[in-house]
Amino acid sequence: MKNGDIREYSLQDADAIELQEVWVVLWRGKWLLVAVTAIFAICSVLYALRLPDIYKSEVLLSPVNEQFDGKMSGQLGGLAALAGISAMGAGDEKVALAIQVLKSREFLRKLLDKYQFKAELMAVNGWEQHSNSLLYDESIYNYADKLWVRQVKLPYQPEPSLQETHKAFLESLVVSEDSKAGFITIAVEHYSPYFAQYLNQLLISELNQDMRQRDITDAEKSIAFLQREAQSTNLNDLRTSLYDMMQDQMQKLMLANVRDEYIFTVVDPAVIPEQKSRPRRALIVIFITMLGGFVTLCLQLFFGLKPKRKN
C-alpha cells in the first residue's frame, strides 16, 4: 500500500471520529435540546398571541394630468416666471410635490388642528371588534377626561409634540408608486380597520383641497400681477399676450374651484379591511422556535467538543 493511500485512510478515519464525537454530544444533549426548543416554542406562541392586530386600508389613485400652454419665450417668459406661472400643470412635478405635502409636518398639523385625532395616533394600543371601540393606553391618555397623563422626561411633555406625532404618522403611512402605469397607492395602518379607512379617506380629501388652495392662491396672485403689467405697457402685442396668459390662469382658477378631485382621481377607494395585515403569528412562532433550537444546538457543540479539541 502506498504512503498516499495510508494518509487518505487516516484522514477518513479522523473525519469519522469527529462526526462520531459530534453525534455523541448531540445524543447526550437531545433532551435538553428538545426542552429548550419547546420552551422557545411556548414563549413564541404567548408572545405572538399578545401582539395586537394591525389593519391596512389602501386607496389606488391616478394623477390628474393637465398641460397648460407653454408658449412663453423671451421677455414674456420672464414675466411669466415673475408671475409664478409654470408651463406644467398637474404633471410629474406637481404629483411629487403633492406626495411631499402629504408627508410634511405642516400638513399633519393642519389635520390635527381641524380633526383632533392625535390620541388615536399616539395613545391607542388595540381595538375591540365586537363593540368597534378603540382601546387607549391609560398610562398615556385618559380618554374619559381627554387628558394626556404619560410620564416623560424633558424636553418631552405629557402631550406628544408635533414631531413625535409626525414620526408615528409616517410609520403608519405607506406610499408606493407604479412608475410604469403611473398609479399611486396610499395605505394607512392602524389597530382599527374603521379608523384606517377614515384616515385614508381624510388624507386624500384634504390633500386635494390643500393642493387646490395652493393653486388658487398662486393663480390669483398671477392674475393680479399680469393685470398690472398689461395696464402699464404700451405695446399692443405684449398686452395681448399678457391677457392670453391671464386667460390661462383664469381657466386654472375655474378648474380649481369646480373640481373636487384636483390632483388625484380615486380609482379604487379605501375600504374597511376585513383581514389584518400583520402580525404574521405563524411565521413569528416558527422563527423564534427555530432560533431557540439553533442557539441551543450551537452551545451544545461548543461546550461539548471544546475539551476534546484541547487534547
Side-chain angles (χ1 to χ4, degrees):
M1 185 179 293
K2 296 181 180 180
N3 293 335
D5 297 335
I6 296 175
R7 182 176 300 176
E8 181 178 354
Y9 282 117
S10 299
L11 292 176
Q12 291 178 353
D13 292 340
D15 292 340
I17 294 174
E18 289 292 336
L19 291 176
Q20 185 177 3
E21 291 177 354
V22 171
W23 173 253
V24 170
V25 171
L26 294 179
W27 182 255
R28 288 176 179 176
K30 61 181 181 298
W31 295 117
L32 177 62
L33 177 62
V34 172
V36 174
T37 305
I39 292 174
F40 269 81
I42 295 173
C43 293
S44 66
V45 171
L46 296 177
Y47 170 74
L49 291 177
R50 292 187 61 183
L51 293 175
D53 292 337
I54 303 295
Y55 295 87
K56 179 189 291 186
S57 179
E58 296 180 328
V59 58
L60 181 63
L61 305 173
S62 175
V64 177
N65 294 315
E66 287 183 359
Q67 298 293 334
F68 289 92
D69 190 6
K71 298 177 181 179
M72 294 177 291
S73 60
Q75 181 182 4
L76 192 58
L79 289 174
L82 290 175
I85 300 173
S86 173
M88 181 179 295
D92 294 340
E93 292 183 3
K94 184 160 286 188
V95 170
L97 173 61
I99 293 176
Q100 293 306 313
V101 169
L102 174 65
K103 298 179 180 179
S104 67
R105 287 188 295 268
E106 180 62 19
F107 180 71
L108 178 61
R109 184 193 63 79
K110 293 178 182 178
L111 290 181
L112 293 175
D113 292 342
K114 188 175 181 180
Y115 296 100
Q116 302 294 323
F117 57 85
K118 181 183 289 187
E120 285 70 22
L121 279 180
M122 301 299 296
V124 171
N125 59 4
W127 172 67
E128 178 59 45
Q129 183 176 4
H130 299 290
S131 60
N132 187 24
S133 58
L134 296 173
L135 303 178
Y136 293 86
D137 188 344
E138 293 297 333
S139 64
I140 298 178
Y141 183 73
N142 188 329
Y143 179 74
D145 299 332
K146 309 296 182 184
L147 183 66
W148 293 94
V149 295
R150 67 173 186 162
Q151 301 294 325
V152 291
K153 297 181 180 180
L154 293 175
Y156 298 104
Q157 300 294 329
E159 180 176 355
S161 64
L162 177 61
Q163 294 183 39
E164 291 181 85
T165 309
H166 181 253
K167 181 179 180 181
F169 170 72
L170 292 182
E171 291 176 353
S172 65
L173 179 68
V174 180
V175 180
S176 56
E177 301 181 56
D178 187 343
S179 57
K180 294 182 179 180
F183 294 108
I184 298 173
T185 300
I186 296 179
V188 174
E189 295 183 334
H190 197 262
Y191 298 104
S192 168
Y194 292 89
F195 183 79
Q197 182 211 30
Y198 163 75
L199 184 56
N200 204 336
Q201 292 176 333
L202 187 65
L203 291 177
I204 304 306
S205 175
E206 290 297 320
L207 181 60
N208 275 317
Q209 175 63 26
D210 186 276
M211 297 301 296
R212 182 201 295 97
Q213 188 58 49
R214 288 170 181 261
D215 281 352
I216 289 176
T217 302
D218 291 342
E220 290 176 345
K221 291 181 179 180
S222 298
I223 291 173
F225 174 83
L226 293 173
Q227 284 179 337
R228 292 194 300 269
E229 292 298 320
Q231 293 172 359
S232 62
T233 184
N234 295 323
L235 301 176
N236 292 330
D237 292 340
L238 180 58
R239 184 183 296 112
T240 301
S241 299
L242 290 172
Y243 280 123
D244 290 339
M245 295 170 61
M246 287 175 55
Q247 184 178 0
D248 291 339
Q249 292 303 301
M250 293 179 66
Q251 179 184 4
K252 178 180 177 182
L253 187 62
M254 178 191 68
L255 292 175
N257 281 290
V258 301
R259 190 173 57 202
D260 293 332
E261 295 182 332
Y262 184 66
I263 294 296
F264 294 117
T265 299
V266 177
V267 178
D268 191 11
V271 298
I272 300 173
E274 296 179 348
Q275 297 181 346
K276 64 179 178 65
S277 62
R278 57 184 176 92
R280 298 182 177 180
R281 292 184 174 87
L283 293 179
I284 293 176
V285 171
I286 293 174
F287 175 77
I288 295 179
T289 302
M290 293 181 63
L291 179 64
F294 177 75
V295 172
T296 305
L297 183 64
C298 291
L299 291 177
Q300 284 182 337
L301 293 175
F302 178 77
F303 290 104
L305 298 177
K306 187 175 180 181
K308 293 186 178 182
R309 287 181 176 177
K310 288 183 177 180
N311 295 332

